[in-house]
Amino acid sequence: MAFGGIGGIAVGFAAKDLLANFFGGLMVYLDRPFAIGDWIRSPDQNIEGTVEHIGWRQTRIRTFEKRPLYVPNSTFSLISVENPSRMTHRRLNETIGVRYTDFNVLPTILADIKDMISKHEDIDSNQTYMVNFNQFGPSSLDFFIYAYTKTVDWRTFHNVKEDVLFKAMKIIESHNAEVAFPTHTVHMANNSKMALMSEKEGSSEQASTTSSN
């Protein structure tokens, strides 16, 4: 009876996990938060990759390191799952800085870049798009470009992003401005001040020597 009771408890725990995974798979099948071929990830767990197989007990995900990841279906009833494959747009959000000496032409630069964004064939102008001066940086006047691309393909998105950034740089150059880079300003003392400081240091050393003698 004791062995039977222990065996019954073990079977009960195994059946509990089996049923949890079964109903988890059923919920995945009914709710369809993802399908085979979708790229999914979870902000709650270290789960990210492409769905390869959805079974009644577990789901197989191929990570970006090309490793298979087997996730019990019951896990999906306990965590949040994001499905980037079903996004409608990709967001472009870039910050660019120009020199402080280009302050006078900055409003014109922003207006021209915003006009370029609104007319770009790969940018969805029906979505929110902004080009605004953002902050006084340590060595630059920073503005941002915020827009949504029509494509959701990862490779195509980066081609569009590259094109937008190149066109923004050409607009900046057309106004005789430049993209800023980190700089430091060092103020050097002039020769007369340095000579005066040397004389003072020499006098102090001579007075110190005299007093010691």
Side-chain angles (χ1 to χ4, degrees):
M1 292 177 64
F3 283 113
I6 295 173
I9 294 173
V11 171
F13 276 114
K16 176 186 175 183
D17 293 338
L18 182 62
L19 289 175
N21 289 324
F22 174 80
F23 283 109
L26 181 62
M27 295 306 297
V28 169
Y29 177 78
L30 295 176
D31 294 340
R32 299 186 184 277
F34 52 81
I36 294 176
D38 284 355
W39 161 31
I40 66 171
R41 62 188 176 196
S42 172
D44 303 326
Q45 298 286 337
N46 188 22
I47 297 174
E48 183 172 12
T50 304
V51 179
E52 285 191 340
H53 175 74
I54 302 174
W56 286 111
R57 192 178 67 85
Q58 63 184 8
T59 296
R60 186 175 71 247
I61 298 172
R62 183 71 59 175
T63 67
F64 293 136
E65 291 80 19
K66 299 302 180 182
R67 301 171 182 171
L69 177 64
Y70 300 93
V71 183
N73 288 333
S74 59
T75 304
F76 294 113
S77 62
L78 303 174
I79 64 174
S80 301
V81 178
E82 181 182 351
N83 191 339
S85 298
R86 297 182 185 178
M87 66 175 69
T88 58
H89 301 77
R90 283 192 180 275
R91 185 181 64 171
L92 192 154
N93 187 13
E94 296 296 322
T95 298
I96 302 174
V98 297
R99 303 172 303 177
Y100 271 85
T101 54
D102 301 322
F103 175 79
N104 291 330
V105 296
L106 181 57
T108 307
I109 291 174
L110 298 181
D112 289 350
I113 293 178
K114 190 171 185 177
D115 182 65
M116 179 269 292
I117 291 293
S118 67
K119 296 178 181 178
H120 200 289
E121 60 181 4
D122 294 314
I123 299 295
D124 190 349
S125 58
N126 294 320
Q127 300 293 323
T128 301
Y129 65 93
M130 297 182 292
V131 180
N132 291 97
F133 173 52
N134 191 37
Q135 66 177 353
F136 294 95
S139 57
S140 62
L141 299 172
D142 298 335
F143 66 91
F144 67 88
I145 300 175
Y146 186 97
Y148 287 92
T149 62
K150 295 179 180 179
T151 182
V152 297
D153 179 72
W154 182 245
R155 289 172 294 184
T156 307
F157 164 76
H158 279 286
N159 290 332
V160 175
K161 175 181 173 181
E162 180 183 70
D163 183 63
V164 168
L165 294 178
F166 276 140
K167 288 181 177 177
M169 291 179 63
K170 288 181 180 179
I171 291 173
I172 292 172
E173 291 180 352
S174 69
H175 293 283
N176 295 320
E178 293 183 13
V179 175
F181 54 87
T183 57
H184 295 279
T185 302
V186 179
H187 297 279
M188 302 294 293
N190 56 35
N191 292 334
S192 60
K193 288 184 178 180
M194 292 180 68
L196 181 60
M197 291 175 63
S198 298
E199 290 177 2
K200 288 182 178 179
E201 290 176 357
S203 300
S204 300
E205 290 177 359
Q206 185 177 2
S208 176
T209 303
T210 303
S211 60
S212 61
N213 292 334

